[in-house]
Amino acid sequence: MEELFIGRQPILDRHHQVYGYELLFRNGYHPMRAQFDCDQDATATVVHNAMMGFSLDELVGDAKAFINFSEAFFDPDMEPCFSSHRVVCEVLETVPVNDTTVAGIRNLKEQGFQIALDDFVFKAEFIPFIRLADIIKIDIEGMKPEKIPLLVQKIRHIAKVKILAERVETRAIYDVCRLAGCDYFQGHYFARPEVVSSAKLSVSKGHLLLLLRRLAQENIPLEALEEVVRQDVGLMHKLIKLASQNRTVGMPEFETLHQVLTFFGLRRVQSWASMISMSLLDDVVPEVFNIARTRAIFMRLCAEHEKLENPDSYYLAGMFSLLDVILKKPLLELLEALSLNRKIVNGILREEGEHGRMLQMVKSFEQSRSESLDQVYRHLYVRALKESHNAEALL
């Protein structure tokens, strides 16, 4: 049975909202871990997996899908198999400038496709591509900060295009790119976004931390969880909304919050409440919640696969691994306030023990370092991505 795998990385706009995702080839979609040596095969794999294995809705929601394309795709006689409203065609830096490729790009633009130039390096020979492009991606890794505004000005002197800064790894570089006039941003800095101003909560921080503290307790009575949830009408509404989406044919209509908790049990409600409580922080970049949910689901799936004790503790470790990003406080301080088991705390802070090993594993997928992992974990990560998207749609 063939396994499908695909990577993705968020692209944010100047307001820190997700504009799109770059879809990335990742080896491991086949049990034999077949590897490809050419751009064309890698692109074909990404397109196949994105369009047939999953769906663009699952992978990018309402955002744009950025996909790298090699020279062969820019044939003016080729008809794309996907919608111009969803896909941004990235022209790889290896695509030569000639009459055929220029005609192919012009044909795509006439069909409504956005064109992005990937890993752009300014050369006079690329001017025909620049004049056709909608977005130019500049790789700023290793570039001197003072050179970035000059490059942006040089590009915009030739054509009116959007500039996407990729490999943005620090706040300082982000600030330089933003001041230089870049429109979009991509890089590990946004996987742990510290860009956001102080949190504005729809529930008090005290209430939120109380809920998280209760969720962290092993074998917490349902009544103790109910006591926290019923204090906030928005939280209760979201929880019951999730329950209604998961209601089976044999279940009666819900009459009380206690009834909902009893029907679905502690484990399910803990998962829902964790996601809801974090989603209430309405000024945090949405992608951080997706990352936290995916980490949590993946780590619990792995713990179940390996038959480790208390798989739900791995869910909590994944969900709480980004608390510092969400609440803008030191991670140690936040974890200590939750009275967590030391194994979970050490796993998050120092990546020690089984919890740390699982956290390292999920980070390897986020950072495109997963080549050495067994195929089963690649499959579990795909499952986690799907479940995380499904959960997001219900919130």
Side-chain angles (χ1 to χ4, degrees), residues 381-394:
Y381 187 68
V382 170
R383 279 186 57 189
L385 280 174
K386 287 187 175 183
E387 289 186 29
S388 177
H389 270 292
N390 291 339
E392 179 185 11
L394 294 177

Side-chain angles (χ1 to χ4, degrees), residues 22-291:
E22 182 173 3
L23 301 185
L24 306 163
F25 169 76
R26 288 294 175 262
N27 188 38
Y29 75 96
H30 191 277
M32 298 304 291
R33 296 186 182 179
Q35 299 205 4
F36 297 106
D37 296 323
C38 71
D39 295 333
Q40 185 174 341
D41 286 343
T43 295
T45 302
V46 169
V47 172
H48 174 272
N49 291 359
M51 307 299 166
M52 303 173 196
F54 309 102
S55 73
L56 285 180
D57 287 336
E58 287 179 324
L59 289 169
V60 304
D62 295 328
K64 297 280 188 179
F66 285 65
I67 301 177
N68 290 331
F69 290 101
S70 59
E71 178 182 1
F73 178 77
F74 300 104
D75 181 334
D77 297 324
M78 176 177 288
E79 288 298 321
C81 61
F82 37 79
S83 168
S84 61
H85 300 294
R86 307 298 306 279
V87 173
V88 177
C89 301
E90 290 197 33
V91 184
L92 283 171
E93 67 276 14
T94 54
V95 175
V97 180
N98 55 45
D99 291 344
T100 300
T101 55
V102 168
I105 293 173
R106 185 175 291 112
N107 177 54
L108 290 170
K109 281 187 68 69
E110 290 171 355
Q111 295 183 54
F113 284 95
Q114 283 187 290
I115 303 297
L117 304 187
D118 190 36
D119 288 340
F120 178 79
V121 176
F122 192 93
K123 293 181 181 178
E125 65 188 88
F126 289 129
I127 289 177
F129 281 0
I130 296 174
R131 289 175 173 158
L132 288 170
D134 300 285
I135 300 170
I136 290 181
K137 300 180 70 174
I138 56 174
D139 185 344
I140 60 167
E141 186 177 42
M143 187 183 298
K144 292 181 178 179
E146 61 269 22
K147 298 287 187 183
I148 295 172
L150 297 176
L151 179 57
V152 171
Q153 292 172 16
K154 198 171 185 178
I155 292 170
R156 290 213 165 113
H157 182 70
I158 297 173
K160 188 177 179 180
V161 294
K162 300 289 187 181
I163 305 292
L164 191 162
E166 56 180 341
R167 298 187 189 272
V168 178
E169 308 299 309
T170 67
R171 172 60 186 260
I173 290 298
Y174 165 75
D175 287 341
V176 170
C177 293
R178 196 171 191 279
L179 288 172
C182 293
D183 304 282
Y184 304 116
F185 310 89
Q186 182 179 3
H188 291 167
Y189 174 60
F190 298 100
R192 293 180 61 83
E194 299 172 344
V195 178
V196 194
S197 58
S198 60
K200 298 177 183 177
L201 307 183
S202 54
V203 294
S204 70
K205 278 191 178 180
H207 182 200
L208 175 64
L209 289 173
L210 175 60
L211 176 59
L212 295 178
R213 188 180 295 118
R214 294 286 173 86
L215 291 171
Q217 297 173 8
E218 293 187 22
N219 303 316
I220 179 178
L222 282 174
E223 290 76 14
L225 193 60
E226 179 184 1
E227 180 185 352
V228 180
V229 173
R230 71 185 179 190
Q231 293 178 35
D232 186 87
V233 64
L235 181 60
M236 188 156 44
H237 171 262
K238 287 177 178 288
L239 187 64
I240 293 177
K241 181 180 176 183
L242 281 168
S244 68
Q245 297 289 333
N246 288 271
R247 180 169 166 262
T248 60
V249 176
M251 284 185 184
E253 294 182 343
F254 305 134
E255 297 181 1
T256 66
L257 176 62
H258 182 78
Q259 183 185 40
V260 170
L261 300 181
T262 302
F263 282 153
F264 290 96
L266 179 61
R267 172 176 166 173
R268 182 76 70 88
V269 174
Q270 279 181 314
S271 298
W272 290 347
S274 295
M275 291 187 295
I276 291 169
S277 64
M278 290 189 177
S279 73
L280 292 173
L281 305 174
D282 57 9
D283 70 337
V284 178
V285 176
E287 180 60 18
V288 77
F289 299 122
N290 296 337
I291 294 170

Side-chain angles (χ1 to χ4, degrees), residues 318-338:
M319 188 66 82
F320 293 165
S321 64
L322 290 170
L323 273 184
D324 55 335
V325 177
I326 294 168
L327 294 179
K328 313 297 185 300
K329 284 189 174 183
L331 189 54
L332 175 60
E333 175 186 332
L334 292 166
L335 294 178
E336 292 291 351
L338 295 176

Side-chain angles (χ1 to χ4, degrees), residues 296-311:
I297 296 167
F298 174 78
M299 290 173 67
R300 183 169 63 193
L301 288 172
C302 290
E304 291 172 344
H305 169 71
E306 296 185 10
K307 295 182 169 50
L308 299 177
E309 185 179 352
N310 194 11

